[in-house]
Amino acid sequence: MKKEQLIFGIHPIEEAIEEGKTIEKIFLLKGDTGEGIKMVQNLARNHDIPFQYVPYQKLDRLTKSNHQGAIAVLSAVDYHALEDVVLEVFEKGDDPFILLLDGITDVRNFGAIARSAQAAGVHAIVVPNKGAAPINEDAIKTSAGALLKIPICKEAHLADAAYLLQQSGIRVISLTEEGKESIYDKTINGPVGIIMGNEDKGISKKLLKISDETAHIPMPGNLDSLNVSVATGVTLFEIVRQRLKG
């Protein structure tokens, strides 16, 4: 796997986008209205690449080279097509076990989740194109290298990913405090996709609406919620327990 790296300069970034390189994010110089910056911005929009306008000091901290007001961050991993992953798992005779992360932006939480997912035998982690934690050195380190082993799928909209799973015969379950049934009382077998949301906003209403089912983790104590990486670990290994039990 390639390490995270930077591409700087208008034309190198243009070439990288046109060649289909996996770009995590693009930083553009705030206040620059030149044609080169506008071109990169338009390319980023057309290819659903997140971009952000930042002060000159931010760009200078990233590189001392002549960046021309534009720096692209290449992803540390290659992304996989969710449809291909699902097909491959079915062809092997296994039941797909997919994890969808809605609004998980903290790098260390993301890394910890990936570590649990890889240990639990999850076949792929699905994240949205925007509003997801970057896969950088900290994330990889926190994941104990799991992010270099488990397929990561990046989708423009998680709702589309959920629909794809459902159309493939995969049951989609959202873990939410509003879930009526405990994860421990729910029988979870066969192909399954689990949606986890962030600790503040939880899972979006749209995803909750299209989910086949919802469930919650019972908490007899006086806390309202668990850290999302802990909650994900609890959920994934309850599914593992049920699968091993048969």
Side-chain angles (χ1 to χ4, degrees):
M1 286 294 186
K2 58 183 181 295
K3 294 181 180 179
E4 183 189 66
Q5 58 181 301
L6 303 178
I7 297 178
F8 42 85
I10 302 298
H11 294 300
I13 293 176
E14 177 188 9
E15 291 174 2
I17 294 174
E18 291 178 347
E19 289 172 7
K21 292 187 181 297
T22 306
I23 296 176
E24 196 76 39
K25 191 171 187 177
I26 296 175
F27 294 103
L28 300 173
L29 179 59
K30 188 176 183 179
D32 191 326
T33 57
E35 291 302 315
I37 296 295
K38 288 181 180 178
M39 178 190 66
V40 172
Q41 175 189 284
N42 290 333
L43 281 172
R45 281 179 173 156
N46 292 338
H47 290 80
D48 288 323
I49 300 170
F51 65 90
Q52 179 183 356
Y53 280 97
V54 297
Y56 194 86
Q57 292 85 344
K58 167 73 173 180
L59 298 177
D60 268 2
R61 283 197 297 270
L62 291 173
T63 180
K64 298 300 181 183
S65 301
N66 181 20
H67 49 65
Q68 298 177 305
I71 297 177
V73 182
L74 286 180
S75 174
V77 301
D78 289 315
Y79 291 104
H80 297 250
L82 179 58
E83 186 174 7
D84 293 343
V85 173
V86 169
L87 181 60
E88 182 179 346
V89 175
F90 273 129
E91 287 179 344
K92 289 181 178 178
D94 295 332
D95 288 329
F97 187 7
I98 310 295
L99 176 63
L100 298 88
L101 302 180
D102 184 22
I104 308 300
T105 57
D106 183 85
V107 169
R108 294 191 176 184
N109 273 338
F110 181 54
I113 288 170
R115 184 174 185 174
S116 294
Q118 205 269 333
V122 167
H123 293 110
I125 296 175
V126 186
V127 297
N129 193 39
K130 298 179 181 178
I135 300 179
N136 56 24
E137 185 177 348
D138 283 343
I140 292 171
K141 183 177 180 180
T142 307
S143 78
L147 283 168
L148 302 179
K149 301 174 184 176
I150 187 169
I152 308 295
C153 305
K154 205 169 210 182
E155 299 290 325
H157 306 287
L158 282 186
D160 293 337
Y163 282 131
L164 187 153
L165 295 182
Q166 291 169 328
Q167 291 169 359
S168 301
I170 299 173
R171 176 184 176 194
V172 175
I173 302 174
S174 284
L175 261 290
T176 169
E177 296 171 15
E178 302 171 2
K180 294 182 179 179
E181 192 174 4
S182 162
I183 189 72
Y184 302 119
D185 294 330
K186 184 178 290 293
T187 301
I188 304 176
N189 49 33
V192 66
I194 298 294
I195 303 178
M196 303 295 299
N198 70 30
E199 296 161 40
D200 296 326
K201 297 181 180 179
I203 298 170
S204 71
K205 291 182 179 179
K206 184 174 184 178
L207 281 173
L208 287 174
K209 185 175 181 181
I210 66 176
S211 296
D212 296 305
E213 303 165 44
T214 61
H216 72 273
I217 299 172
M219 288 178 284
N222 57 6
L223 288 177
D224 293 331
S225 64
L226 292 170
N227 171 280
V228 65
S229 65
V230 174
T232 303
V234 169
T235 301
L236 297 183
F237 280 94
E238 171 57 19
I239 296 173
V240 170
R241 185 192 68 79
Q242 292 193 29
R243 286 188 166 194
L244 291 176
K245 186 178 178 181

